[in-house]
């Protein structure tokens, strides 16, 4: 439901042919957000960490492109330039930090940015890193908005029925990663959520 609300109800929703970027696209929320943008006919690029996740985004989820923020051979800027040559029309951000900053550099005219989370900042003990590149929003007449899903009860209700419809039509799939083991293995599995060690939920 968080993905549905963020894609459809916070700012103007993605349109057919627009370039959409979803960060943490292999995660529980990002994977659904990316699929919903595809349902709307957008060109979707996912950001994830490592070649395995990027291959999953393009081969299994059918995204149009992937950016590997862990890539040591190409910078984030190079990858954004390659994958989004005409800029980013819609950004669904779950990460914050450097990834958000670089994406803002590539925001298109009248682009929209939805702030869902900031996984790169969770657990930091010092000052959180905000987007120093925010002036690009003014330069491109772009919009950035955060949201809390519970503030959109009507959209949540609509999302419940729409997601069921998309699921039964084969348009959206829930992605899960199961960890085998007992309760002693739970802390390690939980830690993986905050260090990019999982795919899906």
């Amino acid at each position: 439901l968080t993905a549905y609300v963020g894609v459809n109800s916070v700012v103007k929703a993605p349109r057919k042919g627009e370039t959409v970027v979803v960060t943490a696209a292999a995660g529980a929320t990002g994977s659904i957000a990316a699929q919903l943008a595809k349902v709307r006919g957008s060109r979707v690029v996912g950001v994830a960490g490592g070649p395995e996740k990027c291959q999953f985004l393009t081969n299994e989820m059918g995204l149009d492109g992937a950016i590997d923020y862990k890539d040591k051979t190409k910078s984030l800027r190079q990858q954004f330039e390659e994958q989004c040559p005409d800029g980013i029309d819609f950004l669904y951000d779950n990460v914050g930090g450097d990834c958000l900053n670089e994406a803002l550099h590539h925001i298109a005219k009248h682009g929209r940015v939805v702030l869902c989370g900031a996984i790169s900042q969770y657990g930091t003990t010092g000052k959180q890193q905000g987007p120093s590149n925010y002036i690009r929003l003014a330069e491109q007449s772009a919009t950035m908005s955060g949201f809390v899903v519970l503030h959109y009860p009507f959209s949540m209700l609509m999302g419940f029925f729409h997601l069921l419809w998309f699921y039964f039509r084969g348009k959206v799939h829930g992605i899960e990663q199961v960890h085998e083991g007992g309760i002693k293995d739970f802390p390690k599995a939980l830690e993986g959520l905050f260090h990019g060690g999982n795919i899906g939920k």
Side-chain angles (χ1 to χ4, degrees):
L1 290 177
T2 301
Y4 179 89
V5 170
V7 169
N8 292 285
S9 302
V10 180
V11 296
K12 186 181 290 185
R15 292 176 294 224
K16 185 176 181 179
E18 287 192 322
T19 296
V20 173
V21 170
V22 179
T23 60
T29 302
S31 61
I32 301 297
Q35 291 177 76
L36 289 172
K38 286 292 292 180
V39 168
R40 298 189 65 90
S42 300
R43 178 181 176 273
V44 183
V45 176
V47 180
E52 180 185 357
K53 286 187 177 182
C54 288
Q55 288 173 11
F56 176 82
L57 294 180
T58 55
N59 297 341
E60 301 296 324
M61 284 179 53
L63 301 194
D64 300 285
I67 291 172
D68 182 359
Y69 71 85
K70 292 183 177 179
D71 194 326
K72 301 298 183 185
T73 62
K74 291 183 180 179
S75 68
L76 267 177
R77 179 157 299 188
Q78 286 176 302
Q79 294 183 77
F80 271 113
E81 287 172 350
E82 290 176 2
Q83 296 291 338
C84 310
D86 299 318
I88 300 168
D89 299 298
F90 188 101
L91 171 66
Y92 191 108
D93 185 49
N94 297 295
V95 174
D98 293 333
C99 194
L100 171 59
N101 225 26
E102 193 55 53
L104 288 178
H105 180 79
H106 298 277
I107 200 72
K109 188 176 181 182
H110 300 301
R112 290 93 70 207
V113 180
V114 173
L115 301 179
C116 177
I119 192 74
S120 70
Q121 304 301 297
Y122 299 161
T124 56
T125 55
K127 189 176 180 181
Q128 290 189 337
Q129 179 186 348
S132 59
N133 215 4
Y134 70 92
I135 195 63
R136 289 289 293 163
L137 297 168
E139 293 171 349
Q140 296 293 79
S141 296
T143 303
M144 182 163 68
S145 180
F147 76 103
V148 174
V149 67
L150 295 177
H151 295 171
Y152 295 81
F154 180 73
S155 183
M156 290 175 67
L157 181 62
M158 294 295 293
F160 178 78
F161 292 107
H162 283 160
L163 286 168
L164 280 176
W165 175 247
F166 294 146
Y167 174 78
F168 286 116
R169 292 181 65 207
K171 300 289 186 181
V172 172
H173 305 280
I175 298 160
E176 296 181 341
Q177 181 169 336
V178 178
H179 290 270
E180 303 289 345
I183 193 70
K184 62 179 175 24
D185 299 304
F186 174 74
K188 185 177 180 181
L190 180 64
E191 185 180 354
L193 293 174
F194 300 99
H195 295 94
N198 68 300
I199 294 177
K201 199 166 189 173

